[in-house]
Amino acid sequence: MQNPYLPYPVRIDDITVEAEDKSLKTFKFVFLNEGDEDQFAYRAGQFAELSIPGKGEIPIGIASSPVEKGFVKFTVNRAGVVTTHLHNMRAGDRMGLRGPLGNCYPWDLLEGKNILIVGGGFAFTTLRSSIVYMLDPANRSRFGNIDVVYGARSPGMLLYKDELVEWEKRDDINMHITVDGTDDPDWKYNIGFVPPITEQKAPSGGADTYAIVCGPPIMIKFTQPVLEKLGYDHDHIIMSLENRMKCGFGMCGRCGIGKELVCKDGPVFTLNQINRTPREY
Amino acid sequence: MTLLTIDKQNWTQGLAAAADHYRLFGPVKEKDQHRFKALEKGQLPDLDLVNTRLSPKDLVFPQSEIMLTYSLDESREDHHIMKEAHTDHAPRAVVGMRPCDARAIQLVKLNFDTPDVKDPYWLKAYEATTFIGMACDTPLSTCFCTSAGCGPYNAEGLDILMMDRGGTYLAKIFTEKGKAFADTAGWNQATPEAAEAFVAAKEAAEAKMVSTISTDNLADTDLLDLHGAPFWDDIAFACLNCGTCTFTCPTCWCFDIQDEVQGKSGVRMKNWDSCMFPIFTVHTTGHNPRDTKTQRVRQRFMHKLKYFVDKYQTGIMCVGCGRCVRQCPVNIDIRRVCELMNSFKPADACVAQG
Ligand SMILES: Cc1cc2nc3c(=O)[nH]c(=O)nc-3n(C[C@H](O)[C@H](O)[C@H](O)COP(=O)(O)OP(=O)(O)OC[C@H]3O[C@@H](n4cnc5c(N)ncnc54)[C@H](O)[C@@H]3O)c2cc1C
Ligand code: SF4
Ligand code: SF4
Ligand code: FES
C-alpha cells in the first residue's frame, strides 16, 4: 500500500524573488531520488503539498508546466508560519513534496476551444502552468485563440516578468496586462482593475470559448458578471478555489463545501458546479 | 455462518488462549463509566455495560497517531527525509463492542478506504483487528439505532456477534477472521437449535427501543434549500462549540496534521479535529468560510444528514448511539435536528419569511 502522506524528498535548486516587496518567491525543486519525478506526473491546474519537516505542510498550486522537465516550480506568498520559514530557506536545503493533488483544468473539454485566461495577483501561478502548456510547440495547434488578462497591484508585483515580455511579443497569444495603478511614466500596458479590463479586451463568449478564472475572491466576484455580459455560459466559466487544507486527498474533511471536497473534487470547478454548492469558500 | 455456545468457563479460558496470539481490547469499568482499553494479562472485558462514553473508534483511528518521523540533524545522511513511522499491526481483537459502533466503523471506512486513495494507517489497523460484538439487550432512552440504519443485534462490520443468555454466550461467526479467533480461543461447541434464541432476543431488544427518527425525505430535499433553511440559528443558539459531540461520535473522522519536534528529531502526526472549532477552516488571510457558530453547527448536521446521504447513498452518517445527545452540555439533540430537516419543505420557508 503506497503511503499518500509520505512526501518525496526534494532539494531547493533555485529561488527567484518575484515581487518588489519580496513577498513572493518562486522555488525551483529537484527530486532527490531517481524515479520520483516520473511518479510526480502532473497536469496544469493541480497543486501539491510543500512539506517542511518540523514546520508543517501547505497546499500550493504548481507553477511549472508538465512540458518543463527536470524540476517543479512553485510561487509562494509569505503569509504565515510555513511560508515564512520557506522564504528564509536557501538553495541546497532539503524538504518534501507531496502530490500531485486535486483535479486539473479540464483539458479534454478545452481542446480545440478558444481560451480566455483571467488572473489576478499571485493566483496567476497555475495559469502560468497552463499558458506554458498551451504554448508548447507540441500543443499550440490543439487550442484556438488564447487571450490572457492578468493584473497585479503595481508593475513591481507582476510575476514572471521575463516571460510576460516574451509572450507579449508572440502573435499566437494576446496578452492584456494591467496594474491597479502606477506612477511609472514609461508604463505601456493597461491601468485598471481586472474586471473592467476584461470587459474591454476579452473576446465574447460562445460555444467555442472557455474562460479560466483564478484570483482573489473579490476579483472573482466582479469578474463573474462581466463574463456573463460577454456571453459566457456558466458551464464555460472555470474557476479554481482555495480552502484550508491538510491531507489534500479527501480524508481529513477540512476543505469540504457541501458534499464537494476542494482538494479532491476540485480545486477546479465550473461556475455551474459552484452555484450548486453552499457559499463556504 | 457458524453458531456456537460458549459457557462462562470456556469464555475465560478462551480469552486467555486468544491473548497469546492477539492483543485484546475491551470495555473496562473506570469509576462509574466503561471505557475501551487494552486488556491486561488475565483481565476480562466487563460486558455488563451500557454504551461507553467514548466509542472504540480510537482502536483504528487513534486520537493522536505518529505517521512520519525525521531527523533535522544535518550531520546525518538522511536529515530532513521523512519516513513512515513503525506501527504495530500484529493481530488484535476488540471484544464486546456494540453493533452501533461496529457499523460506525463501516461508515468511516467509506472515507479512509476509497478506490483511488487509501489511508494506510487506518486501513492497516482495521485489517489487523477482529471485531467481536456484544448484542445489546438494554438500549438507553437516547438510543435510536433501529431507525438509523442499525439495530441492537446488527452484525454489520462484526466478525463475531455474541448474545448473553445468562450462564452462556451464544456466538454467531460471520467471517474467516472470526473463525480464526474462535479456533484460537477453542470455542467450538456448535448449537444448531440456538438460532431462534437470537431472533427472539433481537425482537425483544428492538421492542425496548423508545426513540426513533425519520430520514425518508432527506435524500430528496434539495441540498441548498436545506442549507438555507430558517431553523439553523435556533438549533445553534446554545452551542458552545466545545466539540464534545464530534469527539464522542463513532462516525466523526475529521483530523488535523501537525509536526512536533524535540531537539533534532521530529514527528508528523494525525490528531482528531472538529468542524465545531472556529479555526478548523480559517485561512491564513483571516478569511473564514465558516465564521459563525451557526455555520459550524449546520456543517456538522448537514454533513451527517445530507452531504453523506447524497454522496454515498447508504443512509445517514449516524448510527443512533445517542452519545452526542447524552453528552452535549446544552442538550442539542440530533433527533430533533433530523426531524426538522426531514420534515422541511422549502415552501414553508417562503411562507415563514413572508
Ligand atoms: C489549492 C491551493 C493552492 C494554493 N496555491 C498557492 C500558491 O500558488 N501560492 C501561494 O502563495 N499560496 C497558495 N495557496 C495558499 C497557501 O496554501 C497558504 O497561504 C499557506 O497555507 C499559508 O501557510 P502558512 O504556514 O504560511 O500560514 P499559517 O496560517 O501560519 O499556517 C498554516 C499552517 O499551519 C496550520 N495552522 C496555522 N494556524 C493554526 C492554528 N491556529 N491551529 C492549528 N493549525 C494552524 C495550518 O493548518 C497550516 O498547515 C494555495 C492554497 C490552496 C488551498
Ligand atoms: S451523531 Fe450522535 S447519535 Fe449519531 S452516531 Fe454520532 S454520537 Fe451517535
Ligand atoms: S456537544 Fe453540544 S455544545 Fe458541544 S459542540 Fe456539540 S452541539 Fe455544541
Ligand atoms: S484537505 Fe483533507 S479533505 Fe481536503
Side-chain angles (χ1 to χ4, degrees):
Chain A
M1 200 184 310
Q2 204 190 333
N3 186 337
Y5 297 97
L6 191 64
Y8 297 115
V10 292
R11 177 169 50 77
I12 302 179
D13 190 47
D14 187 42
I15 303 173
T16 315
V17 179
E18 297 282 353
E20 62 187 357
D21 67 356
K22 299 194 172 61
S23 63
L24 290 157
K25 289 183 181 178
T26 296
F27 297 83
K28 181 176 168 193
F29 294 103
V30 292
F31 289 89
L32 285 182
N33 296 335
E34 218 173 305
D36 286 356
E37 187 185 348
D38 294 336
Q39 287 281 318
F40 189 89
Y42 63 95
R43 306 194 73 189
Q46 289 193 283
F47 70 97
E49 290 276 345
L50 298 190
S51 184
I52 304 185
K55 293 293 165 188
E57 277 192 318
I58 51 166
I60 302 287
I62 305 174
S64 52
S65 167
V67 297
E68 298 172 295
K69 300 291 178 201
F71 59 88
V72 218
K73 279 184 177 182
F74 299 85
T75 301
V76 181
N77 176 40
R78 184 157 52 79
V81 179
V82 179
T83 50
T84 300
H85 190 85
L86 184 61
H87 268 243
N88 292 335
M89 285 169 74
R90 301 211 190 100
D93 285 348
R94 287 179 182 184
M95 50 182 278
L97 182 58
R98 197 153 68 75
L101 300 167
N103 63 1
C104 56
Y105 293 116
W107 293 108
D108 296 345
L109 275 181
L110 299 177
E111 180 135 9
K113 302 294 193 298
N114 302 320
I115 309 292
L116 166 66
I117 283 191
V118 185
F122 63 86
F124 191 60
T125 56
T126 60
L127 300 178
R128 175 202 179 267
S129 177
S130 305
I131 293 169
V132 172
Y133 172 73
M134 291 190 289
L135 291 183
D136 189 65
N139 297 329
R140 182 61 190 90
S141 61
R142 294 166 50 211
F143 300 93
N145 299 331
I146 302 176
D147 280 81
V148 177
V149 181
Y150 168 38
R153 261 181 289 143
S154 61
M157 295 302 288
L158 286 165
L159 298 176
Y160 320 126
K161 293 182 192 65
D162 296 347
E163 282 176 304
L164 293 180
V165 172
E166 291 300 312
W167 294 340
E168 180 69 36
K169 285 189 207 145
R170 294 175 69 132
D171 53 12
D172 59 352
I173 177 168
N174 307 313
M175 297 296 296
H176 313 285
I177 296 168
T178 183
V179 291
D180 295 355
T182 178
D183 33 20
D184 176 0
D186 296 332
W187 177 251
K188 49 184 195 264
Y189 306 113
N190 303 288
I191 294 182
F193 294 127
V194 167
I197 299 296
T198 306
E199 190 162 358
Q200 287 165 28
K201 308 281 181 179
S204 342
D208 289 334
T209 305
Y210 277 83
I212 302 180
V213 187
C214 208
I218 183 95
M219 185 209 92
I220 292 185
K221 186 171 164 214
F222 289 106
T223 303
Q224 189 180 318
V226 168
L227 291 175
E228 283 168 4
K229 211 154 122 190
L230 288 169
Y232 287 79
D233 192 75
H234 284 187
D235 263 332
H236 285 234
I237 302 178
I238 294 163
M239 312 214 269
S240 187
L241 298 184
E242 271 187 19
N243 254 17
R244 177 75 169 266
M245 291 184 186
K246 281 292 181 174
C247 69
F249 46 72
M251 279 173 192
C252 73
R254 186 169 310 262
C255 67
I257 315 180
K259 66 182 163 57
E260 319 292 344
L261 293 164
V262 177
C263 67
K264 190 154 178 267
D265 305 312
V268 175
F269 296 94
T270 65
L271 182 55
N272 231 343
Q273 290 173 310
I274 291 175
N275 288 341
R276 280 186 266 120
T277 59
R279 301 251 148 203
E280 293 183 349
Y281 47 87
Chain B
M1 187 197 59
T2 322
L3 263 172
L4 299 176
T5 302
I6 308 167
D7 64 39
K8 300 259 158 125
Q9 192 193 352
N10 229 340
W11 172 247
T12 313
Q13 284 169 353
L15 285 183
D20 291 338
H21 303 272
Y22 293 82
R23 265 189 308 148
L24 297 182
F25 296 83
V28 172
K29 196 159 189 183
E30 276 186 351
K31 298 202 183 101
D32 51 355
Q33 295 265 1
H34 283 80
R35 217 183 117 176
F36 281 88
K37 284 183 76 170
L39 301 174
E40 315 269 327
K41 202 170 165 49
Q43 187 181 17
L44 289 174
D46 180 353
L47 298 180
D48 188 17
L49 76 161
V50 292
N51 235 349
T52 48
R53 183 150 47 162
L54 284 176
S55 85
K57 78 172 168 188
D58 66 328
L59 297 184
V60 274
F61 177 32
Q63 185 163 352
S64 210
E65 178 173 33
I66 294 175
M67 298 198 290
L68 305 171
T69 62
Y70 47 85
S71 167
L72 303 178
D73 178 353
E74 299 208 355
S75 68
R76 282 180 55 155
E77 186 90 345
D78 63 351
H79 71 90
H80 289 85
I81 294 187
M82 307 196 103
K83 303 197 176 89
E84 188 166 325
H86 174 75
T87 349
D88 185 356
H89 294 120
R92 52 211 189 119
V94 45
V95 185
M97 74 193 296
R98 292 297 189 203
C100 52
D101 290 340
R103 174 171 157 84
I105 288 178
Q106 295 302 307
L107 297 184
V108 171
K109 190 167 184 288
L110 294 169
N111 184 62
F112 287 118
D113 179 13
T114 74
D116 14 307
V117 210
K118 302 195 185 300
D119 184 313
Y121 303 95
W122 194 94
L123 207 55
K124 284 180 185 167
Y126 171 80
E127 282 166 357
T129 310
T130 302
F131 298 94
I132 303 173
M134 188 68 205
C136 188
D137 295 309
T138 50
L140 298 170
S141 63
T142 43
C143 292
F144 54 101
C145 59
T146 44
S147 53
C150 192
Y153 275 68
N154 213 53
E156 191 184 349
L158 286 171
D159 299 298
I160 302 179
L161 173 65
M162 305 200 309
M163 65 168 282
D164 194 339
R165 289 186 95 195
T168 54
Y169 293 118
L170 283 187
K172 279 190 189 181
I173 311 222
F174 303 101
T175 62
E176 284 301 314
K177 255 188 190 175
K179 183 172 180 311
F181 188 90
D183 287 348
T184 310
W187 296 333
N188 50 18
Q189 227 181 312
T191 50
E193 86 287 5
E196 303 86 68
F198 262 98
V199 178
K202 173 175 183 280
E203 280 169 11
E206 285 178 0
K208 284 190 211 158
M209 199 73 62
V210 291
S211 179
T212 57
I213 53 168
S214 307
T215 58
D216 46 347
N217 296 325
L218 292 170
D220 293 333
T221 311
D222 182 74
L223 185 150
L224 287 181
D225 284 344
L226 266 180
H227 190 265
F231 46 66
W232 292 113
D233 274 324
D234 171 43
I235 292 169
F237 177 72
C239 176
L240 309 168
N241 274 178
C242 66
T244 300
C245 49
T246 53
F247 272 49
T248 57
C249 179
T251 69
C252 275
W253 66 61
C254 289
F255 63 88
D256 190 16
I257 298 176
Q258 287 287 337
D259 278 40
E260 250 178 54
V261 178
Q262 259 191 346
K264 294 265 177 209
S265 61
V267 295
R268 177 160 294 167
M269 13 221 309
K270 197 179 184 187
N271 301 315
W272 288 0
D273 206 343
S274 168
C275 60
M276 288 291 119
F277 300 152
I279 60 168
F280 188 68
T281 47
V282 73
H283 294 195
T284 318
T285 53
H287 168 64
N288 191 349
R290 288 197 286 272
D291 204 15
T292 66
K293 181 170 76 173
T294 299
Q295 289 172 313
R296 295 189 284 276
V297 170
R298 172 170 59 190
Q299 166 67 16
R300 171 168 148 79
F301 290 115
M302 285 292 280
H303 188 202
K304 291 197 170 298
L305 304 174
K306 181 59 185 168
Y307 305 151
F308 186 88
V309 171
D310 288 0
K311 186 161 173 172
Y312 297 108
Q313 274 105 39
T314 177
I316 56 175
M317 185 185 143
C318 166
V319 292
C321 74
R323 287 188 178 91
C324 61
V325 180
R326 284 198 299 286
Q327 292 171 54
C328 174
V330 296
N331 296 325
I332 291 172
D333 189 331
I334 190 169
R335 294 170 298 180
R336 174 173 164 260
V337 179
C338 189
E339 170 62 33
L340 285 168
M341 287 173 68
N342 193 58
S343 59
F344 176 66
K345 301 266 183 310
D348 298 350
C350 299
V351 175
Q353 284 160 13

